Amino acid sequence: MEQTRLTPMMRQYLEIKERYRDAILFFRLGDFYEMFFEDAERAAKILDIALTARSRSSDTEVPLCGVPYHAASPYIGKLLEAGYKVAICEQVEDPKLAKGVVRREVVRVITPGTVTDGESLDPTSNNFLAAVTKGGAGYGLAVADVTTGEFRFTEIDGYEALAEELGRIQPAEIVHAAGATFVSKLRADFPAVHYSPIDDTAMAQQALERSGLADGAGLGAERGQGLEAAAAIVAYLEDNLPGAVKVLRAPQGYRAAQYVMLDETTRRNLELERTLQGERKGSLLWVLDRTLTPMGARRLRQWLLYPLLDERAIRLRLDGVEELLERYRERQELRAGLKRVQDLERLCGRIVSGTAGPRDLVAVKETLQALAPVRAPLEDFRAEMIASLAAELAAPPEAAELIERAIVDEPPAATRAGGFIRSGFHAELDELRALRRDAREWIARLEAEERKRTGIHSLKVRYNKVFGYYIEVSKPNLRLVPADYLRKQTLANGERYITPQLKEYEAKVLTSEEESLRLELSLFEELRQELASQRARLMQISQALATLDALAALAETAHAHHFVRPKIDSSYVLRVREARHPVVEAVLGRTSYVPNDCHLDPESAQILILTGPNMAGKSTYMRQLALIVLMAQMGSFVPAAEASIGLVDRVFTRIGAADSLARGESTFMVEMREMAHILRGVTPRSLVLLDEVGRGTSTFDGISIAWAVAEFLHDAPERPRTLFATHYHELTDLALSKERIKNFTFSVKEWKGEVIFLRTLVEGAANRSYGIQVARLAGLPAAVIERAKAILRTLEGAQRERTESPGLAPGPASAQMALFQVPRDSLRAELRQIDPARVTPLEAIQILHALVEKAKEEV
Ligand code: ADP
Ligand code: MG
């Protein structure tokens, strides 16, 4: 580039851009952020704004586009979404005082994990920045939310567990050491995440030391990988968003093993926060979340993703929910108070990082003023958790009063025009303002006096930015202008003048304006710092409010949906009476939902095989049990008449190919990989849900695998509690040889050739699949239905006679019948010789392989 021909400002631009080549540079010019060159070309397209050109010297043009600085955040949001980072370059000296080009510096780099702007963030969920480090066999993982200051870390053994935990956290961005080998795997598993390498991990440790965050108690023994990851986060923030380091709280160590383990697939299949289609409506959270504050919503979501394993901790939450449920009036009062509470957690973040505006302080005030009404109804609560939360809200800090005195009730959004400090708060400010107010009167008086003195009735005293105060006289009156007027500007139809008296006054007014704005800003800054110094207390209040809100929401939901308190114990038995699916019930209505019981017990009923036609309710039944367990262990009441839950530490689900084809990735391979993951991972406290395993392959393959899997789970020393839904009736024979396997089926009625689903679970095996009836319900043409029935009769007849080659029903379609023909083969003979009860899963696979090969030869 021919630097010599550039203007000094463009040279400055290029110097800065050189250091932020991987980001889109927002270059502050007056009231705009401008982008140049390739940045401009890219951004204009993404942001859908005009690309213009700026003359940089006489013969070349530079592509350019810009956005107003005060409305930049939606544009920044869009660029982040498109996968870019945005570097914000500000003027760091007063343009009026600058010699030459105004000094500019990049003050922060915005990445998906470091967004602090309210507009582009979902208030009901956290926006997490994660860091992953690797050492030896283990991984360190740290997570921070720069808007709330939440900061925690953990150590994780293998890649699989790391991926599971990351799936649960759903970070927006992952920081890692440059060149780390695990990153390519992460990229494949989490393609939507933004990856940010940092160069020097040794520097990271120093950054953590510098921040003082690791000085907190309780970190002594835990200086492992997890803390290294925490250090990486601090180092990354130091570079990109220095203000955020102050917002972070001391990092908390945690173990993923403290919570129910939910792998990615299970979380998705159970539709905890989103449906398989990605909607919030229809998810469990959609039913549960009746919180009234953003902190509460985030807390509840966290509870749902991290169900507890500790009986006592669960019971404490249940006690709280129970008392809030029983005490209707108090709950309504509490919730009325919570409605006035704002996002204190994120407000605190902005106060500490210095980005809070006057409206933020008013929000803090309103929240603190709501504490008394929130606390009042809780005074005599017995539940330990509620009592201690209420106590934390006692004696609210004086901050509210201070803000009340200092800031007007409805301040402007931006500080640049002033007017947010309340009059009467500061004497000097009041004086300066009086001067400004008086100016208007003074001008009016001057105008009247001058009109009288000169006899010019149309004479005006006015103000504009370029000339300041002036006197304007129209053309016909120019001859009346007195000698002491100094001409300043000639207009088409008049002249503008000034007088020494006017200039003198102007100087006084203008300085008073500047002074008063400066004073307002410094008073505001003082107040902000005062609040920042009370941060620990404000955070404590915000945490207490979040928890109260979450508990009250669960009580409210329990009330609305007739949930009951589950009994939690350390046994291995799961017993629910008249259980319902919380979401399906909410959609269908309470009266249309048919409740069912469930009893799982590793001693007697370890595995339930569920058969019944399509649409009978098998999948719904299995999911409802898992949801009830998770709800119970997060501290919620559950949709049942009675529930007693022997703690579950892992929930596994395998949902058959046909059920999740919508996701477009359900190949048989994926299904088997998930199956392998389950069989390797079961624990004595696991709950395993297998829905239509083996559907993605041929019938014989499918049955064999399903059979072998069921046996494996039965014989496993862990004896995981298992629900196994299948349309292979053959599997019901398992109960003959395996004592802890029980058969259940959904009863259906046949009426005039139609099938009616009763949705009631009864012990026993389904004898038919009613596939044709379901096909009729679905609207297949009558001719096809009739033909299918005829074929089915033949096939069933043939099976009874055990002929090797059933003669299919003769008819017009007989030309295609070859498709249905069961080949006369040695395979069947061979199959009959296999005793599935005696083969190991490995053998099953081998046999299967051999059979498949043979079958191929026979074609
Ligand atoms: P399956 O897995 O046996 O094919 P599903 O569990 O998918 O059947 O259920 C099919 C539909 O039946 C569900 O979408 C739901 O609307 C309804 N359903 C399931 N269980 C019940 C129930 N207990 N009461 C009322 N409707 C139910
Ligand atoms: Mg199903």
Side-chain angles (χ1 to χ4, degrees):
M1 187 116 4
E2 319 142 76
Q3 295 250 343
T4 46
R5 301 180 45 190
L6 297 170
T7 61
M9 196 199 70
M10 278 323 273
R11 211 173 299 141
Q12 180 191 41
Y13 173 85
L14 289 171
E15 273 165 27
I16 295 176
K17 177 66 197 174
E18 182 64 23
R19 275 175 281 141
Y20 294 91
R21 265 191 280 191
D22 58 342
I24 296 214
L25 184 63
F26 271 37
F27 191 74
R28 179 71 179 269
L29 265 178
D31 282 348
F32 280 81
Y33 288 122
E34 303 286 6
M35 289 155 271
F36 300 101
F37 303 107
E38 295 86 357
D39 280 3
E41 280 160 7
R42 272 188 221 130
K45 239 181 251 149
I46 297 167
L47 302 177
D48 199 16
I49 53 176
L51 184 67
T52 52
R54 178 194 184 91
S55 185
R56 130 169 89 108
S57 62
S58 48
D59 54 356
T60 28
E61 300 209 312
V62 173
L64 151 95
C65 65
V67 299
Y69 88 97
H70 55 84
S73 74
Y75 295 108
I76 294 171
K78 272 197 198 164
L79 290 173
L80 292 176
E81 238 168 70
Y84 291 99
K85 299 203 256 186
V86 178
I88 306 290
C89 177
E90 294 288 359
Q91 300 171 343
V92 291
E93 66 181 339
D94 190 334
K96 283 190 213 133
L97 308 176
K99 296 194 196 84
V101 186
V102 183
R103 257 194 321 123
R104 289 185 175 82
E105 269 171 29
V106 168
V107 294
R108 61 170 299 195
V109 179
I110 307 175
T111 57
T114 59
V115 191
T116 51
D117 205 301
E119 279 180 64
S120 33
L121 288 177
D122 174 3
T124 64
S125 57
N126 285 100
N127 191 54
F128 283 126
L129 170 70
V132 179
T133 59
K134 186 169 187 332
Y139 293 89
L141 170 64
V143 196
D145 181 331
V146 297
T147 65
T148 64
E150 178 174 346
F151 192 15
R152 55 196 163 93
F153 65 92
T154 187
E155 265 127 54
I156 293 181
D157 271 348
Y159 176 82
E160 211 165 271
L162 172 72
E164 274 171 20
E165 187 57 13
L166 281 172
R168 171 139 66 181
I169 293 163
Q170 299 167 33
E173 180 175 0
I174 296 178
V175 175
H176 58 85
T181 49
F182 55 83
V183 176
S184 56
K185 261 202 227 155
L186 282 180
R187 277 182 192 275
D189 287 343
F190 301 97
V193 175
H194 188 95
Y195 291 85
S196 303
I198 55 169
D199 293 330
D200 194 341
T201 37
M203 295 290 283
Q205 280 304 330
Q206 292 166 22
L208 183 64
E209 299 303 326
R210 256 199 311 283
S211 72
L213 285 165
D215 304 344
L219 287 182
E222 294 182 69
R223 296 197 169 258
Q225 279 300 313
L227 216 51
E228 248 168 62
I233 283 196
V234 175
Y236 181 72
L237 289 178
E238 236 184 30
D239 277 353
N240 292 290
L241 183 62
V245 178
K246 284 183 287 180
V247 177
L248 294 184
R249 286 172 253 161
Q252 301 286 312
Y254 79 102
R255 282 177 306 119
Q258 288 168 307
Y259 307 100
V260 177
M261 185 143 140
L262 290 168
D263 56 51
E264 168 79 14
T265 322
T266 300
R267 221 177 22 251
R268 235 185 11 233
N269 282 335
L270 293 178
E271 306 188 306
L272 297 184
E273 320 170 69
R274 259 170 232 307
T275 62
L276 289 170
Q277 290 74 42
E279 308 284 326
R280 181 178 160 88
K281 183 168 181 210
S283 67
L284 179 60
L285 194 57
W286 169 73
V287 172
L288 293 184
D289 187 1
R290 295 193 177 223
T291 56
L292 298 166
T293 71
M295 296 96 84
R298 293 194 294 269
R299 173 68 37 97
L300 190 72
R301 186 169 169 276
Q302 198 78 353
W303 283 2
L304 175 64
L305 293 179
Y306 290 90
L308 302 172
L309 294 179
D310 180 43
E311 252 180 279
R312 195 184 112 79
I314 298 170
R315 213 167 288 139
L316 282 176
R317 283 188 198 168
L318 288 172
D319 287 345
V321 175
E322 181 166 42
E323 194 165 7
L324 284 166
L325 175 65
E326 282 165 0
R327 302 178 68 170
Y328 178 84
R329 198 172 49 80
E330 285 86 349
R331 185 172 83 242
Q332 299 317 320
E333 281 174 31
L334 164 66
R335 284 170 60 83
L338 286 171
K339 280 198 189 122
R340 298 170 45 192
V341 163
Q342 309 204 35
D343 198 342
L344 188 56
E345 203 178 15
R346 281 191 173 152
L347 288 167
C348 268
R350 288 208 285 278
I351 285 171
V352 172
S353 67
T355 54
R359 285 189 181 169
D360 291 326
L361 299 203
V362 171
V364 170
K365 175 187 77 178
E366 285 168 358
T367 302
L368 294 176
Q369 287 171 342
L371 294 188
V374 163
R375 196 172 48 95
L378 305 177
E379 229 154 59
D380 59 343
F381 267 57
R382 293 173 313 275
E384 200 178 316
M385 211 166 156
I386 307 243
S388 74
L389 289 169
E392 283 177 37
L393 298 184
E398 285 159 22
E401 213 178 288
L402 185 58
I403 299 170
E404 170 76 28
R405 272 193 291 123
I407 308 282
V408 298
D409 289 338
E410 283 173 25
T415 48
R416 73 200 122 102
F420 44 88
I421 300 285
R422 204 188 280 282
S423 57
F425 178 66
H426 196 269
E428 194 186 334
L429 181 63
D430 288 349
E431 265 169 44
L432 290 166
R433 280 177 173 166
L435 206 60
R436 245 168 68 196
R437 219 177 9 254
D438 294 350
R440 249 171 263 135
E441 279 167 37
W442 192 87
I443 295 296
R445 208 164 48 234
L446 181 75
E447 199 174 71
E449 278 169 17
E450 290 300 301
R451 280 180 185 173
K452 210 156 129 202
R453 176 162 82 99
T454 60
I456 308 172
H457 294 295
S458 61
L459 178 147
K460 290 183 223 152
V461 182
R462 291 285 182 275
Y463 174 83
N464 79 20
K465 269 196 180 156
V466 185
F467 296 112
Y469 288 100
Y470 57 84
I471 299 170
E472 193 173 305
V473 178
S474 60
K475 237 177 197 167
N477 294 312
L478 289 181
R479 58 194 169 78
L480 297 173
V481 167
D484 58 338
Y485 279 21
L486 303 169
R487 192 166 62 213
K488 196 70 191 177
Q489 190 191 13
T490 303
L491 306 170
N493 50 1
E495 301 276 352
R496 286 175 175 175
Y497 302 90
I498 53 172
T499 65
Q501 186 198 14
L502 194 56
K503 276 295 126 181
E504 195 181 307
Y505 191 76
E506 175 188 296
K508 212 163 118 189
V509 170
L510 290 187
T511 40
S512 83
E513 244 167 65
E514 263 170 41
E515 280 290 292
S516 106
L517 182 58
R518 212 183 343 252
L519 187 54
E520 277 202 59
L521 289 172
S522 91
L523 290 171
F524 182 79
E525 178 57 20
E526 242 172 71
L527 182 57
R528 187 191 65 74
Q529 284 182 9
E530 169 59 28
L531 290 174
S533 75
Q534 298 184 26
R535 174 223 195 168
R537 177 73 181 113
L538 293 175
M539 260 349 255
Q540 183 192 26
I541 290 170
S542 137
Q543 299 295 312
L545 288 169
T547 307
L548 274 175
D549 190 17
L551 289 172
L554 289 178
E556 191 71 14
T557 307
H559 176 91
H561 293 283
H562 304 271
F563 292 172
V564 301
R565 178 177 177 138
K567 289 188 198 64
I568 308 282
D569 59 48
S570 55
S571 78
Y572 293 82
V573 178
L574 278 175
R575 191 191 287 276
V576 288
R577 195 166 60 77
E578 293 178 22
R580 290 114 54 198
H581 188 297
V583 181
V584 178
E585 180 190 48
V587 173
L588 292 183
R590 193 161 136 75
T591 46
S592 325
Y593 196 86
V594 182
N596 276 299
D597 302 347
C598 182
H599 175 213
L600 275 172
D601 182 345
E603 298 305 319
S604 53
Q606 181 207 336
I607 300 179
L608 308 188
I609 303 238
L610 308 173
T611 47
N614 271 317
M615 289 297 289
K618 302 182 295 294
S619 303
T620 310
Y621 177 80
M622 297 209 297
R623 285 177 171 85
Q624 96 188 7
L625 182 70
L627 294 182
I628 285 174
V629 166
L630 294 179
M631 286 166 78
Q633 293 189 214
M634 76 181 269
S636 169
F637 279 29
V638 298
E642 217 180 315
S644 119
I645 312 285
L647 284 170
V648 167
D649 67 356
R650 286 181 166 216
V651 178
F652 290 105
T653 58
R654 171 54 236 163
I655 308 290
D659 284 40
S660 51
L661 269 182
R663 297 188 50 238
E665 53 177 45
S666 283
T667 62
F668 182 63
M669 184 65 187
V670 171
E671 179 178 337
M672 286 300 110
R673 198 178 291 143
E674 288 179 12
M675 203 58 247
H677 163 74
I678 297 174
L679 297 186
R680 273 199 311 268
V682 289
T683 60
R685 291 206 171 277
S686 292
L687 175 63
V688 181
L689 307 183
L690 302 176
D691 199 352
E692 308 284 16
V693 165
R695 227 192 210 179
T697 181
S698 76
T699 305
F700 286 167
D701 274 10
I703 294 180
S704 326
I705 293 172
W707 188 288
V709 162
E711 279 188 346
F712 179 90
L713 289 170
H714 180 272
D715 297 339
E718 291 86 5
R719 296 199 188 171
R721 290 159 284 182
T722 304
L723 292 183
F724 199 135
T726 180
H727 67 292
Y728 297 133
H729 304 149
E730 292 82 351
L731 290 197
T732 54
D733 286 351
L734 273 163
L736 301 174
S737 54
K738 298 289 178 187
E739 53 176 357
R740 295 184 300 279
I741 295 186
K742 297 281 178 280
N743 287 323
F744 281 87
T745 184
F746 280 89
S747 42
V748 288
K749 241 197 191 133
E750 235 182 317
W751 188 70
K752 291 190 182 167
E754 297 222 5
V755 55
I756 299 170
F757 300 110
L758 301 179
R759 315 271 186 225
T760 337
L761 191 71
V762 292
E763 186 143 16
N767 48 357
R768 323 184 28 186
S769 43
Y770 296 95
I772 295 175
Q773 282 84 344
V774 175
R776 204 235 303 268
L777 278 185
L780 273 196
V784 174
I785 299 290
E786 285 315 307
R787 181 70 191 132
K789 278 184 179 167
I791 297 169
L792 180 66
R793 272 194 300 276
T794 318
L795 285 171
E796 285 178 345
Q799 204 173 30
R800 270 194 298 278
E801 289 156 26
R802 290 195 174 271
T803 52
E804 298 241 300
S805 150
L808 292 164
S814 61
Q816 276 112 54
M817 278 309 108
L819 277 178
F820 287 86
Q821 212 128 28
V822 177
R824 178 160 23 100
D825 57 11
S826 52
L827 289 178
R828 302 186 130 233
E830 218 164 294
L831 265 179
R832 271 198 297 271
Q833 278 164 20
I834 301 169
D835 176 0
R838 281 166 183 264
V839 290
T840 66
L842 188 60
E843 284 166 349
I845 299 278
Q846 283 165 348
I847 293 169
L848 190 58
H849 193 71
L851 289 173
V852 171
E853 286 305 311
K854 201 171 268 179
K856 280 185 191 153
E857 281 163 26
E858 285 181 14
V859 169

